[in-house]
Amino acid sequence: ELKVEQNPLFLSMQEGKNYTIYCNYSTTSDRLYWYRQDPGKSLESLFVLLSNGAVKQEGRLMASLDTKARLSTLHITAAVHDLSATYFCAVEAGTASKLTFGTGTRLQVTL
Amino acid sequence: DVKVTQSSRYLVKRTGEKVFLECVQDMDHENMFWYRQDPGLGLRLIYFSYDVKMKEKGDIPEGYSVSREKKERFSLILESASTNQTSMYLCASSFPIGGHSNQPQHFGDGTRLSIL
């Protein structure tokens, strides 16, 4: 059974600081997704990582995938308040397009 | 833009009622999914469907059933609602792995269901 672990579960950081969210998973997979969820809203796709060594960047967020270590990271550079949200990683295993989600990291960026 | 529409944002029902949650997508996606989201547990897959009239159990199917009579519509049914089914329910759709494998699942806005 595929298990996906995110840490930390909660992150409070000051504006301007850098931090990394980690996503570990338990079985082989070549597809990993990062989503953002604002309170009371649905999930918005941020990144799709499809191969070992994949790196994607959008603004202050950068995601990477190491399939050998079964690890993805979401790095936040010079955080701003607008990045406050819950971030989920999700791993797709097998051929059925099913996703297994991590429990999410609630990010709070303070002024 | 992909649009996944869930019929209700908020729903209040009573224990023992039969509850229907509807989801419609407009992107001709083959795959459709139902998740529930609970604090501290992330999203858990209830059922999914990869074609009309096809369905597969997810991780937590007990107490639920689904129906997919048309490609664009996927319904989640609580046969006899119980208080432990109070949750946020999210519908999603996607293309299958293959030609469109670089596209993520697209989610609806969610239905917050309360069972009293």
Side-chain angles (χ1 to χ4, degrees):
Chain A
E1 181 190 345
L2 172 60
K3 292 199 181 299
V4 180
E5 291 186 358
Q6 272 181 252
N7 68 82
L9 298 184
F10 178 73
L11 176 57
S12 179
M13 55 191 298
Q14 286 182 319
E15 277 201 332
K17 299 291 188 184
N18 305 332
Y19 209 84
T20 300
I21 299 170
Y22 297 89
C23 175
N24 292 89
Y25 54 97
S26 61
T27 63
T28 302
S29 173
D30 290 330
R31 296 180 183 84
L32 190 139
Y33 304 82
W34 284 96
Y35 286 88
R36 168 184 172 142
Q37 186 179 39
D38 292 295
K41 303 285 180 106
S42 189
L43 275 75
E44 171 193 354
S45 175
L46 292 174
F47 300 109
V48 179
L49 303 170
L50 295 176
S51 61
N52 187 42
V55 177
K56 295 276 184 78
Q57 182 161 7
E58 180 76 31
R60 300 173 188 274
L61 300 178
M62 184 174 72
S64 65
L65 178 62
D66 181 344
T67 58
K68 293 176 182 171
R70 298 176 187 168
L71 170 69
S72 179
T73 60
L74 180 66
H75 187 73
I76 303 150
T77 301
V80 293
H81 182 67
D82 285 351
L83 290 179
S84 297
T86 299
Y87 294 85
F88 291 94
C89 64
V91 178
E92 189 171 53
T95 58
S97 304
K98 291 169 54 178
L99 292 182
T100 299
F101 280 80
T103 51
T105 296
R106 186 170 152 233
L107 173 65
Q108 185 176 64
V109 181
T110 57
L111 298 171
Chain B
D1 273 357
V2 176
K3 188 74 173 170
V4 180
T5 303
Q6 293 184 231
S7 53
S8 305
R9 289 300 308 274
Y10 301 94
L11 207 53
V12 180
K13 296 291 183 180
R14 296 205 173 272
T15 304
E17 281 193 70
K18 191 169 186 176
V19 181
F20 294 85
L21 303 183
E22 307 286 346
C23 175
V24 176
Q25 50 95 3
D26 66 358
M27 277 301 292
D28 204 34
H29 285 159
E30 284 83 356
N31 297 335
M32 295 190 75
F33 307 84
W34 275 107
Y35 297 88
R36 65 177 282 176
Q37 183 177 16
D38 300 287
L41 296 177
L43 277 76
R44 292 179 292 165
L45 181 64
I46 304 171
Y47 267 98
F48 69 102
S49 168
Y50 50 87
D51 202 351
V52 175
K53 297 192 186 294
M54 307 299 286
K55 60 184 179 184
E56 294 277 345
K57 291 180 180 179
D59 300 317
I60 52 164
E62 297 78 18
Y64 303 94
S65 63
V66 290
S67 172
R68 191 155 180 213
E69 297 296 318
K70 293 185 178 181
K71 190 175 186 179
E72 67 271 18
R73 185 180 297 271
F74 192 34
S75 302
L76 179 69
I77 303 154
L78 286 66
E79 296 289 345
S80 177
S82 64
T83 54
N84 63 12
Q85 292 178 309
T86 291
S87 186
M88 169 72 90
Y89 290 87
L90 290 162
C91 175
S93 70
S94 74
F95 289 115
I97 293 175
H100 298 275
S101 63
N102 59 340
Q103 293 193 18
Q105 288 183 18
H106 295 271
F107 283 81
D109 287 339
T111 296
R112 188 165 291 282
L113 175 64
S114 296
I115 307 295
L116 304 179

